[in-house]
Amino acid sequence: MEKMWAGRFEQALDKRADDFNSSIHFDCKMYKQDITGSMKHAAMLALQGIISDDDCDKITAGLQSILDDLNSGDLAFDMEAEDIHMFVESELTKRIGDVGKRLHTARSRNDQVAVDIRLFLRDETNEIIALIRELLAAILTQAKAHKTSILPGYTHLQRAQPITFAHHLLAYAMMFTRDIGRLEDALRRMNYSPLGSCALSGTTYNTDREFVAKELGFDGITLNSIDGVSDRDFCVELMSAYSTIMMHLSRFSEEIILWSSWEFKFVELSDSYTTGSSIMPQKKNPDMAELVRGKTGRVYGNLFTMLTVLKGIPLAYNKDMQEDKECIFDSIDTLKQCLSVFAPMIETMTVLTDNMYSAAQKGFINATDLADYLTKKGMPFRSAYKIVGQIVAFCINNNLVLETMSLEDYNKYSDLFCEDLYNEISLETCVAKRISAGGTGIDSVEKQIEYVSTFID
Ligand code: ARG
């Protein structure tokens, strides 16, 4: 196929070079955005008297028919085309003749691709935000059902203090609410139209960039044409936000995997989100969570691809920038897949509250509360801490827990211990008395639920 830029060349492009150069097999993903951008560009050209209304109508109808045919599958992408922009333009000219050749007036592929990718990323990121909201809804369903289910909270993966399962889950919800914020921030910063920057320096035509920007839902136009065509900061920002989301999903996955093990058995994932083994008949493996954890690596890697591609590029457009797409497309596909299995996996998991509770009964996770008991009776906290340490050692040596040690034994350590200590160190009291703002007590958990609820619907 003859290249649109063939004019100044005497020899055809080598087949291998042509394949190497071509981006249609991945930038075809942006066909809707490319066609929409072209329609608005044509409308602007007509409004400004750069092309006739009649030509604009033909171009618009032609583009619409291409869009319809691509949507329905009646038209396939021509993999011989150099990229999506060339494909659409040559298809347009095939359909409406020479009028199609007027579309590329006062425009370059450099600003065209810059606008396409912004539009595409805006659409995809909004879908990602919607998926995060679904995940938040799933977390909330579980949190609401487990406001009083007690389990050990961990530090260093050692049993530390009793918490409720709702409180634990809501910690993840907080991460995902921040993720939405990060994505929205990035969207706000990138929502300016580069179209009309042309190749790099603007154009001699009397264009109306503001009109096109508004029509395409941008908040305004980019102010420097060189920056307009060469900026990919928004890709870096989004990919960094995508990586952070994956990091959150990966941490959550790690816990799901631990909780599903026989060693913990805090949750049982639904059959629909687990797999079996080809040899061990008893196995029920948390593959979805493991895959999410594993796929985090490629999303991080894609961020580094993008940063590295950009680091040595002089202004303005350079072909290196074509490498912006595959990595960010892969991150988007990966993230969307992960979020779409993660939400129902959380929603459908069975929480084994009895196992959580019995884990909480071991490990002296109410030791802080016993020290606080003495402190509230006047003993300095450091002294109380030391005594409780000795009591824990005594219990371990005598196969006791704090709840089963006799008052007589307690009084060997301090006269401040009375019968009421047993109530004070019950797991329920420990949790209920954590009334500090943001703590695991019920009022705080209710407040958190209310806050997270504002992020869904
Ligand atoms: N396929 C190209 C890309 O993705 C489009 C822009 C090409 N511009 C150019 N001057 N060759 O970057």
Side-chain angles (χ1 to χ4, degrees), residues 146-383:
H146 294 286
K147 287 193 259 190
T148 55
S149 307
I150 294 175
L151 78 161
Y154 294 81
T155 63
H156 313 271
L157 208 54
Q158 301 287 319
R159 290 173 190 166
Q161 291 178 340
I163 54 169
T164 64
F165 192 50
H167 194 53
H168 194 100
L169 289 175
L170 285 161
Y172 283 107
M174 295 302 163
M175 300 178 209
F176 295 119
T177 63
R178 290 194 295 274
D179 287 328
I180 292 181
R182 257 183 286 274
L183 294 174
E184 287 176 344
D185 279 353
L187 284 180
R188 218 170 290 128
R189 221 172 349 269
M190 73 184 253
N191 203 28
Y192 293 88
S193 170
L195 203 63
S197 300
C198 303
L200 77 160
S201 65
T203 180
T204 54
Y205 294 95
N206 175 30
T207 52
D208 184 351
R209 292 186 57 204
E210 297 279 359
F211 169 83
V212 183
K214 207 163 168 217
E215 289 287 304
L216 291 173
F218 287 108
D219 295 322
I221 58 168
T222 55
L223 292 181
N224 178 305
S225 60
I226 300 174
D227 181 52
V229 291
S230 58
D231 168 33
R232 294 292 184 274
D233 291 1
F234 51 93
C235 297
V236 173
E237 282 193 44
L238 286 175
M239 292 172 91
S240 157
Y242 300 159
S243 297
T244 307
I245 301 167
M246 288 302 297
M247 181 266 285
H248 293 154
L249 289 174
S250 185
R251 293 180 75 173
F252 205 167
S253 295
E254 173 66 13
E255 296 218 87
I256 300 282
I257 294 161
L258 283 174
W259 292 340
S260 306
S261 68
W262 279 105
E263 284 68 17
F264 277 81
K265 267 289 162 247
F266 285 0
V267 300
E268 174 153 4
L269 294 177
S270 143
D271 286 0
S272 314
Y273 296 95
T274 42
T275 61
S277 152
S278 60
I279 171 171
M280 297 166 282
Q282 84 286 8
K283 290 298 285 292
K284 184 170 179 186
N285 297 326
D287 291 35
M288 309 306 135
E290 290 167 59
L291 274 173
V292 169
R293 190 176 57 183
K295 283 175 188 291
T296 303
R298 63 198 274 172
V299 176
Y300 289 4
N302 288 335
L303 168 63
F304 264 78
T305 299
M306 182 67 78
L307 284 166
T308 312
V309 164
L310 294 175
K311 76 180 267 291
I313 309 185
L315 296 175
Y317 179 85
N318 296 262
K319 197 62 178 249
D320 317 39
M321 294 173 81
Q322 180 164 289
E323 286 295 307
D324 61 358
K325 290 174 208 62
E326 280 168 293
C327 55
I328 200 162
F329 292 172
D330 181 69
S331 286
I332 289 170
D333 291 344
T334 306
L335 182 53
K336 282 166 73 178
Q337 268 186 335
C338 290
L339 286 165
S340 18
V341 291
F342 212 87
M345 180 182 77
I346 296 296
E347 183 125 42
T348 55
M349 76 184 176
T350 306
V351 182
L352 304 172
T353 50
D354 288 351
N355 293 348
M356 286 181 171
Y357 193 83
S358 52
Q361 285 171 317
K362 296 164 212 140
F364 301 96
I365 65 177
N366 44 7
T368 315
D369 298 81
L370 188 62
D372 286 343
Y373 170 87
L374 291 176
T375 308
K376 283 174 187 162
K377 292 203 168 186
M379 188 181 287
F381 180 76
R382 270 293 153 242
S383 317

Side-chain angles (χ1 to χ4, degrees), residues 23 27 82-83 85 109-110 113 317 319 321-322 324-325:
S23 56
D27 62 21
E82 187 173 322
D83 57 28
H85 326 293
R109 269 187 300 161
N110 298 350
V113 73
Y317 179 85
K319 197 62 178 249
M321 294 173 81
Q322 180 164 289
D324 61 358
K325 290 174 208 62

